[in-house]
Amino acid sequence: MPTTTGAAATRTPSPSSSPSPSSSPAPSAVAESARRVPILWLALLATPVAAANNATVLILDDMGRALGISTAGASWLVTVFALALAIATPLIATLVRRRGTRTALWLSAAFVAAGTAVVAASPWLPLTLAGRAGQAAGGAGMVAIAMNLAGTARRMGVISAGTGILGAVGPLLGERLTGTVSWRAALSVVMVTLLAVPAVSRHTTRVPAAEGRFDARGAVLLAVLSSSLVLLPSNPLPALAAAAVTGVLLSLHIRRRPDGYVPAAALRSRLFRGSVLMALALSASYFTLLFAIPRLIADRAGWPTGSVATGQMAAMIIGSLLTLVFAAVAARLGRTRVRAILLVVGVLAATAAVFAHSAVILFAAIGLAVFSATGVNATQSMVAASAVPDAQRPTGIGLFQLSYLMGGALGPALATLLVLG
């Protein structure tokens, strides 16, 4: 992150303040280069992760046939990617705070490259799942670093809109790559993010190691809790029991170590809790519809797969572009109105998906869903970051991204349970 000097430093909001989304300085606890990273490089760093995640939407059957498993079994390649993405995000955010952006950036690049190599060569599902997890861990770092270096809600809006657009292209891109090359090529599009690494690295600096021990127990407990919640749709009773026990243990741990991996200051903040819950709900709704809408349109309207992919892509691009406009005017609307708009749009999208039989309305539903999800990411991430002390802001934004990405892990599982299974 660029350092803030002079008069600009006096405008940095305190943890209890309520800054406008567009004027909040970026969350960072480390001193980075004074030169702001060009937003296009940050967008290139983050957006291929969305394309890699969504590239599997229309090729679950192809992956299942190639690996000799069912479509529901193939959906684990999606769930594992999204879950690893969610769990790794706060870990990378902590690494940024303790070791600096450059270290986190190159470690993330190494994970992307190694994971993709495994996916490209693995003949077995377990090894392929491990490769997807490696890709996701690296992708989590790219997203966390890009969001941490964005600086304002407008720049965050560019990243979120770009993520939505690449996510929109992802299903059709995955289908085309599968048809012309292989489904493994479709799972390798995350490699595009590596093109931005050298340029972003030039704008970062090495920082001294942070003092104090890493809160490994807090990290493990949060990872187990997140995994348990994601597994609720497929294994409700064991997952619920694990989540309950882990939740109690994590609560006790936070009391003993309030400045650890999960800062107590974040949990005490109503702003932070509200932002996190909105991100989880709207993201889960969007990713559920992302996988369910193609099947719903095929079943209810009789459209072929290629036409569905094209229509869904167009609807999602429109929704993502609306996010760019929304992020630019969010400061004038006010926090309460912004939240109300996003929640209403999210409810409309889910309602349309449940009751509509027209392909046009179902396409509109996915467009509204991507707008609500990327909109919450662009606006509420800054609100969540402003709700914690300055030294913990990378951690705060990492926890916010964890909640958003948990929705990405829940979505395929819910879609499989409700529609695909």
Side-chain angles (χ1 to χ4, degrees), residues 56-271:
T56 56
V57 170
L58 299 175
I59 62 171
L60 290 177
D61 291 338
D62 298 277
M63 293 191 300
R65 283 193 297 270
L67 294 169
I69 55 178
S70 65
T71 299
S75 70
W76 277 104
L77 288 167
V78 184
T79 301
V80 165
F81 184 90
L83 181 58
L85 197 66
I87 291 173
T89 296
L91 284 170
I92 295 294
T94 300
L95 182 63
V96 169
R97 180 169 62 87
R98 295 176 64 85
R99 302 289 180 176
T101 301
R102 182 174 294 177
T103 299
L105 181 67
W106 285 103
L107 180 63
S108 299
F111 270 112
V112 168
T116 302
V118 171
V119 167
S122 168
W124 306 295
L125 177 62
L127 189 57
T128 307
L129 289 173
R132 285 293 276 172
Q135 288 179 318
M142 303 308 187
V143 174
I145 289 166
M147 300 295 270
N148 198 49
L149 293 174
T152 66
R154 285 186 177 88
R155 282 163 59 88
M156 196 83 76
V158 173
I159 296 172
S160 295
T163 297
I165 291 171
L166 265 290
V169 174
L172 190 59
L173 177 63
E175 184 195 40
R176 294 291 187 266
L177 285 174
T178 300
T180 57
V181 185
S182 155
W183 62 271
R184 297 180 189 275
L187 299 189
S188 300
V189 296
V190 69
M191 287 285 285
V192 176
T193 187
L194 300 182
L195 297 175
V197 170
V200 175
S201 180
R202 285 196 296 270
H203 291 267
T204 64
T205 60
R206 292 185 177 88
V207 298
E211 297 180 359
R213 292 183 301 109
F214 171 66
D215 183 11
R217 182 177 299 177
V220 170
L221 288 173
L222 183 62
V224 173
L225 178 60
S226 303
S227 303
S228 301
L229 294 175
V230 168
L231 293 174
L232 273 174
S234 56
N235 300 276
L237 291 180
L240 184 60
V245 172
T246 309
V248 171
L249 293 176
L250 182 59
S251 298
L252 294 174
H253 177 72
I254 292 171
R255 289 188 178 185
R256 288 194 298 267
R257 191 164 178 182
D259 295 324
Y261 190 72
V262 182
L267 300 182
R268 286 195 295 264
S269 168
R270 181 175 56 83
L271 283 178

Side-chain angles (χ1 to χ4, degrees), residues 385-410:
S386 70
V388 297
D390 288 351
Q392 295 173 335
R393 288 190 173 190
T395 302
I397 206 168
L399 293 175
F400 175 88
Q401 287 297 311
L402 166 66
S403 67
Y404 181 86
L405 294 168
M406 275 184 63
L410 276 168

